Structures are given as structure tokens and as C-alpha cells.
Amino acid sequence: MKKIVVIDVGDIMYSRYFDSSIQQLANAAVITKYSSVNNTALKYFYRYSESMRSGIKRNLVRGFEYILGYNKCLSYIKHSQPDVVHIQWALIPPADYFFWRKIKKYTKKLIFTAHDVLPHDMSAGRIKWNRILYNIPDTIVVHGEYCKDELRKFYPDVKTKVYIQKHGVFEKKDTYVNEDMREKHLPLLEAVEEGKTIISFIGQICDYKGLDLLADAWKRIDCENLFLLVAGRTMNDFSYQMEKIKQELSGFRNCYIYNDRFSDEEENLFYGSSDVIILPYKTASMSGVIFSAAQYEKTVLSTKAGCLGEYLNDVKDCTYTCEPKSESIFRSLVLISKESKSQLIDMGRLFSEYIYRCYSWEKIIKSLISEAY
């Protein structure tokens, strides 16, 4: 059996399921953050910065810890000589370039997952760095045909390296929430108790996710049975726009904004209270929100940006799609307002059944090992 090392500094929900599955199905060592819940992983990254407040000091410490972590990775790989090294994220391109080239000397195959083929800001500098980095691995993993075509278009010199590995499902969870947490988010719970249809935008807030388009559409909504939840912290590139959105929506009674990082229990509350999860994305490679919606058996209203359309095309009868335009989002919301909550619940269950049937991690990882590793 091949020896595999996975370097995963993200430790997001996707990573946790990928890492757990590959450890079960292969001889794999996972290297990740100190804060990871994966107790079988080697923890080399972000020992101190993870608990620091956002700011310049944290960024400096984090950069140092990133390089220190990769030094430890290099030492481990040099000693273990694995058959495959699979890197999940590239966060500091100059450092990645240096370490990837070093690592490649001590493994038979280097693989990188391009979760975002193109940078969301489309900066010329990052596109250039991607071109440099993409030439190093033996295989580049993407999450759908759209991303494969995107890579061929912008980086044609690496088009023969591409492998499509689908995104996988998340384990279904108990949605219990304690009373203190319910009190903290009382406006949301009141809307639920009043029988309103909860439309939820959940996750980190940045420009490409289209919250500004949703806000423009929401200002035109005159449906008393609809209620909007926005939950997530703002990324730096969207801070000014987010403040403007909060001001514009502050006078609306049918809206609750929780603009902060949320806990796992709060995630349970937000998804559990929702009827429709909305993804008004302008661009995207893929989004774990699709799988979170399936995890909680909620239907979605989504654009077909990036690979999203590929995952939604076969479930047209139990999802809603729209264009990344405020007018299209508005029309879809009006359509949803005419559906009964029981109908939305049935759609969510059907959507979840489809996703869990088609995107099991066992199936995905077995194919990855046999076809790419």
C-alpha cells in the first residue's frame, strides 16, 4: 500500500472529511493545524496565531508559523519518503514555491488541490503566482468540469495534469441548541415561531459571494412571510461594502444580521432554523455551503457560478437557481414566497437524498487513490 502524506493547513469542514476518509482507506499521514479536532494528525501549523485577534500582528505571527510548519513538513517527508504528497492549500506563494520544490525531491508524486483555480480578486500578481505554482505538482485536482476548463483557459501549459475530484458530503448532525444560544439570537427564533420562511446566507462574507446583490433584491421584497438571515464574519476585502449593507438593511424588520464568526452550535441554530439556503455567488469554484445545506436537509437557491451548476443540474425539481443579478434573485425570492413551508421541507429532503447518494467520501477517495495517486 502506498504511503501518503496530506498537508492540510485549512482544517475546514471539507478538510476534516477528506482527511478522515483518506486515513481510513489508505496508509495516510495528515499534517494540519494545532487547533484541529483530528487527534491522529501531525499538528505543525499555527500554534499561537489561531487564538490571536485579527490584525497586523496576527498576520506576521501567522506568516512565521506557516514557514515553520512547512519546515517541519519537509523534515518529516524527507525522513518518511512517501509515495504521494497531497497539498490542499497554497496561502503564501513565495514560501509554497520554495517548499513544494524541496518536497518534490522526496516523493514520487506531488499533488495539489486547486480549490479556487483563479484568485477571487483576479489580481495579476496572484494569477502569475498560480501559473508558477501549478507547474510544480504532477497532478492538479479540481472539483468539476467548469474548473477544469477554467484551468485549461488560463493555464494551458498544465492542462494535461488535471484530475476532477468531486466534493463530498458532511455527516448529518443533531440540531440541538441550548437556551442561552436561543436567547442570543432571539430575533431569528421569533421569526421561526411566527412561521416565516427563513432565507439564509451563511458563511464568510466577501465580494464574490454576492451579498450586495442579495441586499439589493431584498430591499424590494414586499412579502411578509419571508425573513432574511445573514450570518458570518466579513473578510477584509468586503468591509466597506458590508457596513453599507448593514446600514441599508438595519431598518428592515424582516432581516437579522449576525456579522461575526459563529460557533458549531450557532451553525446548528442557523441551518436548523432555515428553510432555504441562498448562494447568490458571482463567481466560485465550489462551495461547501451546498453540502451543509444537504447536511441539514435544506433546499437551496443558488447561482450556477463555477462548478455549482454541475452539482445542481440533476436536482432541478428540488432546488432553485438564479442569475448573479439582483433582479433574478428578487424574482426567485418572490417565487419561493408562494411555496408552503411543507413543500420547502420536502424539497430539502429530496435534495439531501440526492447529494448523499452521489457524493459519498468513500466513493470519492477510492477513485482518487486508484486514478490519481
Side-chain angles (χ1 to χ4, degrees):
M1 183 179 289
K2 291 183 178 179
K3 291 195 296 183
I4 299 161
V5 172
V6 178
I7 301 177
D8 182 1
V9 299
D11 195 44
I12 60 174
M13 190 71 75
Y14 166 93
S15 305
R16 294 174 188 178
Y17 283 94
F18 179 96
D19 298 345
S20 174
S21 298
I22 202 164
Q23 285 183 294
Q24 291 176 26
L25 297 168
N27 177 19
V30 173
I31 302 175
T32 186
K33 302 192 293 188
Y34 279 90
S35 61
S36 174
V37 297
N38 185 347
N39 293 324
T40 62
L42 300 168
K43 299 181 180 182
Y44 290 171
F45 290 92
Y46 305 142
R47 185 167 196 165
Y48 302 106
S49 62
E50 197 75 352
S51 59
M52 294 174 66
R53 296 177 63 179
S54 297
I56 295 174
K57 184 177 179 180
R58 181 179 186 269
N59 292 342
L60 290 172
V61 173
R62 208 163 178 77
F64 175 77
E65 290 182 317
Y66 189 76
I67 293 170
L68 181 63
Y70 254 112
N71 265 315
K72 291 181 178 180
C73 290
L74 181 59
S75 178
Y76 177 82
I77 291 165
K78 187 175 181 179
H79 174 74
S80 61
Q81 300 277 321
D83 298 292
V84 178
V85 174
H86 189 160
I87 298 171
Q88 290 285 353
W89 307 94
L91 303 184
I92 305 178
D96 297 320
Y97 175 74
F98 175 82
F99 285 109
W100 290 12
R101 292 176 72 205
K102 293 281 187 182
I103 288 170
K104 195 170 182 181
K105 296 177 182 178
Y106 304 108
T107 184
K108 296 175 183 176
K109 180 171 281 191
L110 182 64
I111 295 177
F112 173 63
T113 295
H115 294 284
D116 299 305
V117 172
L118 298 173
H120 293 302
D121 62 4
M122 288 296 286
S123 64
R126 187 56 201 252
I127 289 175
K128 181 180 178 181
W129 265 115
N130 280 4
R131 181 173 291 109
I132 293 169
L133 291 176
Y134 289 168
N135 274 284
I136 301 173
D138 301 290
T139 302
I140 299 172
V141 173
V142 297
H143 293 310
E145 289 291 345
Y146 177 92
C147 294
K148 185 175 183 178
D149 292 341
E150 198 173 43
L151 197 142
R152 284 171 171 168
K153 178 180 178 182
F154 285 87
Y155 309 104
D157 49 331
V158 298
K159 63 184 180 181
T160 59
K161 297 182 178 185
V162 187
Y163 175 80
I164 294 177
Q165 175 231 295
K166 293 293 188 177
H167 197 299
V169 295
F170 302 149
E171 183 180 353
K172 293 190 178 183
K173 293 163 59 174
D174 182 2
T175 57
Y176 171 78
V177 178
N178 67 45
E179 195 59 35
D180 289 342
M181 193 62 70
R182 295 170 69 87
E183 287 291 326
K184 181 179 178 180
H185 301 289
L186 194 57
L188 172 62
L189 272 298
E190 288 176 344
V192 173
E193 290 169 3
E194 290 170 7
K196 295 186 183 296
T197 297
I198 312 298
I199 311 294
S200 298
F201 178 103
I202 302 174
Q204 288 185 342
I205 301 170
C206 39
D207 181 64
Y208 79 88
K209 291 191 175 181
L211 181 58
D212 53 333
L213 303 178
L214 173 56
D216 286 342
W218 197 260
K219 286 182 287 186
R220 299 174 53 198
I221 289 292
D222 188 24
C223 305
E224 290 189 1
N225 65 317
L226 294 186
F227 187 92
L228 176 64
L229 165 67
V230 176
R233 67 187 180 106
T234 309
M235 304 306 287
N236 292 335
D237 67 337
F238 200 66
S239 297
Y240 173 78
Q241 296 96 317
M242 186 60 190
E243 289 306 312
K244 183 179 177 182
I245 288 170
K246 286 195 288 187
Q247 289 176 12
E248 291 174 343
L249 297 181
S250 61
F252 287 75
R253 292 182 59 196
N254 63 343
C255 179
Y256 175 59
I257 299 176
Y258 182 68
N259 189 204
D260 203 351
R261 190 193 303 264
F262 50 80
S263 67
D264 288 346
E265 190 170 8
E266 284 172 311
E267 179 187 289
N268 288 346
L269 174 63
F270 296 149
Y271 276 102
S273 301
S274 302
D275 295 294
V276 177
I277 306 301
I278 185 166
L279 296 85
Y281 291 10
K282 303 171 187 176
T283 62
S285 290
M286 189 49 208
S287 175
V289 174
I290 289 287
F291 294 88
S292 292
Q295 181 183 28
Y296 289 89
E297 298 186 352
K298 308 297 178 180
T299 193
V300 299
L301 164 58
S302 176
T303 67
K304 292 187 176 182
C307 296
L308 295 176
E310 294 174 40
Y311 289 75
L312 298 176
N313 279 340
D314 292 333
V315 281
K316 295 176 183 177
D317 294 337
C318 49
T319 58
Y320 298 91
T321 57
C322 61
E323 297 296 321
K325 300 175 183 178
S326 57
E327 177 61 32
S328 180
I329 295 169
F330 170 75
R331 290 196 302 268
S332 295
L333 290 170
V334 171
L335 182 64
I336 289 169
S337 72
K338 298 175 182 178
E339 297 283 8
S340 67
K341 287 176 74 75
S342 61
Q343 175 66 17
L344 294 173
I345 289 170
D346 289 342
M347 290 174 68
R349 287 173 179 162
L350 287 172
F351 169 67
S352 179
E353 287 174 8
Y354 169 80
I355 292 294
Y356 276 81
R357 184 170 65 251
C358 295
Y359 301 109
S360 77
W361 275 113
E362 182 177 2
K363 183 189 301 184
I364 290 166
I365 296 299
K366 283 183 176 178
S367 296
L368 178 70
I369 291 170
S370 64
E371 296 169 7
Y373 286 3

